[in-house]
Amino acid sequence: MPSRKKTAMFASAFFTCVCSFVMICVVLATQHWMSSQVRFSGTNSSVTVSLNYGLFSGTCEQFVDAGLQVSEKTFQVADNLSKTKAKSMITAIIVILVLSLLSSLLSSGFSCTNAVSNPYQTFLGPTGVYTWNSLCGIFVLTAMILFPVNIEENGLSVELARGCFSFLHTHIKSAHTYGYSYWMMLLIIFLNIASIIIIYFYDHARYYKKKEQERPIENAPKDVILF
């Protein structure tokens, strides 16, 4: 059976891993990644399309300068994209987040295993927790980088606006605001770092304790040597 200290440390790491897993699920499920105001020039007036979307679905509204507002529409992100690059990058982000979900799940399993037992295999110990938490953090960071690249380089919001209202003309300008679903990924990375730090402190303390127990005899007290 593991010591109380080990159980407490790995239980704390398990809690952070579970929180990370839950947040990745929320990030994938919600559509509050991006709010965009995309402006187009029309025949007689300019048109503004308001978009709120995530990786799978979103909503769009159209506003004309004359004051006319078209009712809100719901759309599927994949169906509204015609550009191969934008669609491929959205797919890549989804795949990367699914991989981070699996990494977080494995990290939770490894942390739980170490909290209740002492596995013989080295990889099932702290090394496994380091590995899966690091991979999860790297996957989430990659998704955080790819999404803005898709917005700026591939014109994701413009493509989605055109998918909602096909008669739109020349794109003038866009304004983007990242939603809480996007910024939650930053918290997921911090949770993964916290898990690694917790296990590092435990592993570091265990290492020095082991070194103390293996001190050479010359470091022992003189009266013990004489005895």
Side-chain angles (χ1 to χ4, degrees):
M1 291 294 292
S3 64
R4 289 184 179 179
K5 184 177 181 180
K6 181 182 180 181
T7 300
M9 298 293 273
F10 275 94
S12 300
F14 172 72
F15 176 75
T16 58
C17 292
V18 170
C19 289
S20 174
F21 178 83
V22 171
M23 286 188 177
I24 296 171
C25 292
V26 172
V27 165
L28 281 166
T30 54
Q31 64 179 42
H32 299 284
W33 279 63
M34 173 62 64
S35 295
S36 297
Q37 301 291 324
V38 188
R39 197 170 182 83
F40 296 88
S41 62
T43 306
N44 299 317
S45 61
S46 59
V47 176
T48 301
V49 178
S50 178
L51 297 161
N52 291 285
Y53 61 92
L55 297 177
F56 296 100
S57 62
T59 58
C60 56
E61 294 179 278
Q62 178 188 333
F63 299 90
V64 184
D65 284 350
L68 178 65
Q69 175 184 350
V70 177
S71 59
E72 186 177 86
K73 293 172 62 177
T74 302
F75 63 88
Q76 297 299 313
V77 172
D79 295 339
N80 272 29
L81 293 175
S82 57
K83 281 187 178 180
T84 307
K85 285 185 178 180
K87 194 170 185 177
S88 298
M89 196 164 287
I90 283 289
T91 304
I93 292 170
I94 294 170
V95 171
I96 288 169
L97 286 177
V98 170
L99 289 174
S100 71
L101 194 68
L102 294 174
S103 300
S104 183
L105 183 62
L106 286 168
S107 180
S108 301
F110 277 46
S111 301
C112 184
T113 300
N114 281 271
V116 299
S117 65
N118 293 312
Y120 292 105
Q121 292 88 348
T122 304
F123 187 72
L124 293 178
T127 304
V129 180
Y130 291 148
T131 302
W132 294 118
N133 273 286
S134 299
L135 283 174
C136 182
I138 290 169
F139 286 140
V140 172
L141 180 61
T142 304
M144 284 195 75
I145 294 170
L146 289 180
F147 189 71
V149 170
N150 205 15
I151 296 288
E152 300 298 333
E153 296 297 324
N154 298 326
L156 179 61
S157 293
V158 177
E159 282 294 307
L160 292 174
R162 292 187 188 279
C164 284
F165 307 102
S166 56
F167 55 84
L168 297 173
H169 296 284
T170 308
H171 171 240
I172 301 174
K173 64 177 182 178
S174 302
H176 308 294
T177 304
Y178 292 89
Y180 70 81
S181 297
Y182 177 82
W183 294 115
M184 277 178 68
M185 290 193 288
L186 202 57
L187 183 56
I188 294 168
I189 294 172
F190 288 145
L191 285 171
N192 283 280
I193 293 172
S195 298
I196 292 172
I197 291 173
I198 290 169
I199 303 305
Y200 173 78
F201 277 123
Y202 162 75
D203 208 21
H204 199 62
R206 186 185 64 168
Y207 173 78
Y208 275 100
K209 186 178 179 181
K210 187 177 180 180
K211 284 295 182 183
E212 284 292 321
Q213 293 172 348
E214 296 175 353
R215 285 187 305 174
I217 193 169
E218 59 266 16
N219 291 335
K222 290 182 179 180
D223 54 344
V224 175
I225 296 174
L226 289 174
F227 177 77

